[in-house]
Amino acid sequence: QVQLAESGGGSVQAGESLRLSCAISGDTDSRYYMGWFRQAPGKEREGIACIASGGWIRYVDSVKGRFTISKDNAKNILYLQMISLRPEDTATYYCAAQQTAYAGSCSLVARDYTRWGQGTQVTVSS
Protein backbone atom coordinates (compact mmCIF):
# COMPACT_ATOMS: atom_id res chain seq x y z
CA GLN A 1 0.00 0.00 0.00
CA VAL A 2 1.02 3.61 -0.53
CA GLN A 3 0.07 6.73 1.37
CA LEU A 4 -0.36 10.09 -0.36
CA ALA A 5 -0.25 13.61 1.03
CA GLU A 6 -0.91 16.73 -1.07
CA SER A 7 0.48 20.17 -0.35
CA GLY A 8 1.00 23.48 -2.11
CA GLY A 9 -2.54 24.76 -2.49
CA GLY A 10 -3.49 28.34 -1.79
CA SER A 11 -5.21 31.47 -3.06
CA VAL A 12 -3.94 33.21 -6.20
CA GLN A 13 -5.09 35.72 -8.78
CA ALA A 14 -6.18 34.70 -12.26
CA GLY A 15 -3.21 34.30 -14.56
CA GLU A 16 -0.83 33.31 -11.79
CA SER A 17 0.89 29.98 -11.20
CA LEU A 18 0.95 27.34 -8.50
CA ARG A 19 2.69 24.01 -8.02
CA LEU A 20 1.09 21.18 -6.09
CA SER A 21 3.08 18.34 -4.55
CA CYS A 22 2.04 14.83 -3.54
CA ALA A 23 4.39 13.00 -1.19
CA ILE A 24 4.36 9.24 -1.72
CA SER A 25 5.24 6.83 1.08
CA GLY A 26 4.77 3.15 1.88
CA ASP A 27 5.09 0.46 -0.79
CA THR A 28 6.82 2.61 -3.38
CA ASP A 29 8.36 -0.43 -5.08
CA SER A 30 5.01 -1.53 -6.53
CA ARG A 31 3.91 -0.51 -10.03
CA TYR A 32 1.34 2.32 -9.97
CA TYR A 33 -0.26 4.74 -12.31
CA MET A 34 -1.06 8.08 -10.69
CA GLY A 35 -3.40 10.95 -11.30
CA TRP A 36 -4.45 14.42 -10.25
CA PHE A 37 -8.16 15.07 -9.69
CA ARG A 38 -10.18 18.07 -8.62
CA GLN A 39 -13.63 18.58 -7.19
CA ALA A 40 -15.58 21.81 -6.88
CA PRO A 41 -18.73 22.10 -4.73
CA GLY A 42 -21.71 20.53 -6.47
CA LYS A 43 -19.59 18.95 -9.21
CA GLU A 44 -18.25 15.47 -9.84
CA ARG A 45 -14.63 14.65 -9.16
CA GLU A 46 -12.78 15.35 -12.39
CA GLY A 47 -9.61 13.69 -13.61
CA ILE A 48 -7.26 16.33 -15.00
CA ALA A 49 -3.93 14.58 -15.52
CA CYS A 50 -2.41 11.14 -15.11
CA ILE A 51 0.95 9.48 -15.56
CA ALA A 52 1.56 5.80 -16.24
CA SER A 53 4.30 3.93 -14.43
CA GLY A 54 6.20 3.89 -17.71
CA GLY A 55 5.92 7.67 -18.08
CA TRP A 56 3.02 8.10 -20.56
CA ILE A 57 0.96 11.20 -19.71
CA ARG A 58 -2.60 12.26 -20.44
CA TYR A 59 -4.43 15.55 -19.77
CA VAL A 60 -8.04 16.60 -19.88
CA ASP A 61 -8.66 19.21 -22.59
CA SER A 62 -9.45 22.03 -20.17
CA VAL A 63 -5.92 22.01 -18.70
CA LYS A 64 -3.88 20.91 -21.71
CA GLY A 65 -1.10 23.41 -22.33
CA ARG A 66 -1.47 24.97 -18.87
CA PHE A 67 -0.84 22.12 -16.41
CA THR A 68 2.12 19.73 -16.28
CA ILE A 69 2.21 16.47 -14.35
CA SER A 70 5.59 15.03 -13.41
CA LYS A 71 7.13 12.64 -10.93
CA ASP A 72 10.47 12.82 -9.15
CA ASN A 73 11.22 9.16 -8.59
CA ALA A 74 14.28 9.86 -6.44
CA LYS A 75 12.25 11.95 -3.99
CA ASN A 76 8.96 10.04 -4.39
CA ILE A 77 7.00 13.20 -5.12
CA LEU A 78 4.29 13.71 -7.74
CA TYR A 79 3.90 17.29 -8.99
CA LEU A 80 1.26 19.31 -10.75
CA GLN A 81 2.61 22.58 -12.16
CA MET A 82 -0.26 24.92 -12.96
CA ILE A 83 0.14 28.14 -14.97
CA SER A 84 -2.35 30.66 -16.36
CA LEU A 85 -4.82 29.76 -13.64
CA ARG A 86 -8.48 30.62 -14.15
CA PRO A 87 -11.33 31.05 -11.66
CA GLU A 88 -12.87 27.84 -12.98
CA ASP A 89 -9.77 25.99 -11.74
CA THR A 90 -10.94 26.63 -8.17
CA ALA A 91 -11.42 23.27 -6.46
CA THR A 92 -10.02 20.82 -3.97
CA TYR A 93 -7.20 18.96 -5.69
CA TYR A 94 -6.39 15.32 -4.95
CA CYS A 95 -3.62 12.98 -5.99
CA ALA A 96 -4.38 9.30 -6.40
CA ALA A 97 -2.59 6.04 -7.13
CA GLN A 98 -3.62 2.63 -8.41
CA GLN A 99 -1.56 -0.53 -8.48
CA THR A 100 -1.41 -2.05 -11.94
CA ALA A 101 0.24 -4.82 -13.90
CA TYR A 102 0.64 -2.56 -16.95
CA ALA A 103 3.21 0.17 -17.43
CA GLY A 104 1.82 1.82 -20.55
CA SER A 105 -1.46 3.44 -19.54
CA CYS A 106 -3.19 5.51 -16.88
CA SER A 107 -6.74 6.57 -16.09
CA LEU A 108 -8.61 9.85 -15.67
CA VAL A 109 -11.60 8.05 -14.10
CA ALA A 110 -11.88 8.43 -10.33
CA ARG A 111 -13.41 4.99 -9.75
CA ASP A 112 -10.29 3.37 -11.20
CA TYR A 113 -8.25 4.51 -8.17
CA THR A 114 -8.12 3.07 -4.65
CA ARG A 115 -5.47 5.24 -2.94
CA TRP A 116 -6.14 8.93 -2.35
CA GLY A 117 -4.57 11.87 -0.60
CA GLN A 118 -6.47 14.19 1.72
CA GLY A 119 -6.77 17.03 -0.78
CA THR A 120 -5.46 20.59 -0.97
CA GLN A 121 -7.55 23.66 -1.75
CA VAL A 122 -6.83 25.89 -4.74
CA THR A 123 -8.72 29.17 -5.04
CA VAL A 124 -8.31 31.43 -8.09
CA SER A 125 -9.74 34.94 -7.89
CA SER A 126 -10.79 37.11 -10.84
Side-chain angles (χ1 to χ4, degrees):
Q1 296 182 5
V2 296
Q3 294 80 47
L4 308 174
E6 303 94 336
S7 62
S11 297
V12 298
Q13 296 289 316
E16 295 183 344
S17 300
L18 205 59
R19 186 173 74 165
L20 306 182
S21 299
C22 174
I24 308 162
S25 61
D27 185 15
T28 57
D29 291 334
S30 297
R31 187 192 303 273
Y32 293 91
Y33 58 78
M34 302 195 68
W36 283 100
F37 292 76
R38 64 187 182 187
Q39 189 165 26
K43 295 185 178 181
E44 295 182 353
R45 189 165 297 190
E46 176 190 26
I48 55 175
C50 68
I51 182 166
S53 65
W56 185 79
I57 291 169
R58 182 182 180 186
Y59 299 98
V60 71
D61 286 345
S62 62
V63 309
K64 194 174 298 181
R66 299 190 300 122
F67 291 11
T68 302
I69 187 172
S70 62
K71 187 169 184 288
D72 186 329
N73 290 311
K75 296 181 179 180
N76 287 321
I77 301 175
L78 181 74
Y79 296 103
L80 185 67
Q81 178 67 54
M82 305 182 292
I83 66 171
S84 301
L85 283 163
R86 305 166 180 170
E88 54 262 42
D89 295 320
T90 296
T92 301
Y93 283 71
Y94 301 88
C95 63
Q98 177 60 45
Q99 193 172 20
T100 181
Y102 304 101
S105 65
C106 65
S107 176
L108 292 174
V109 179
R111 63 178 177 268
D112 288 342
Y113 291 82
T114 57
R115 302 296 176 186
W116 294 86
Q118 81 287 350
T120 186
Q121 179 67 36
V122 172
T123 302
V124 184
S125 301
S126 300

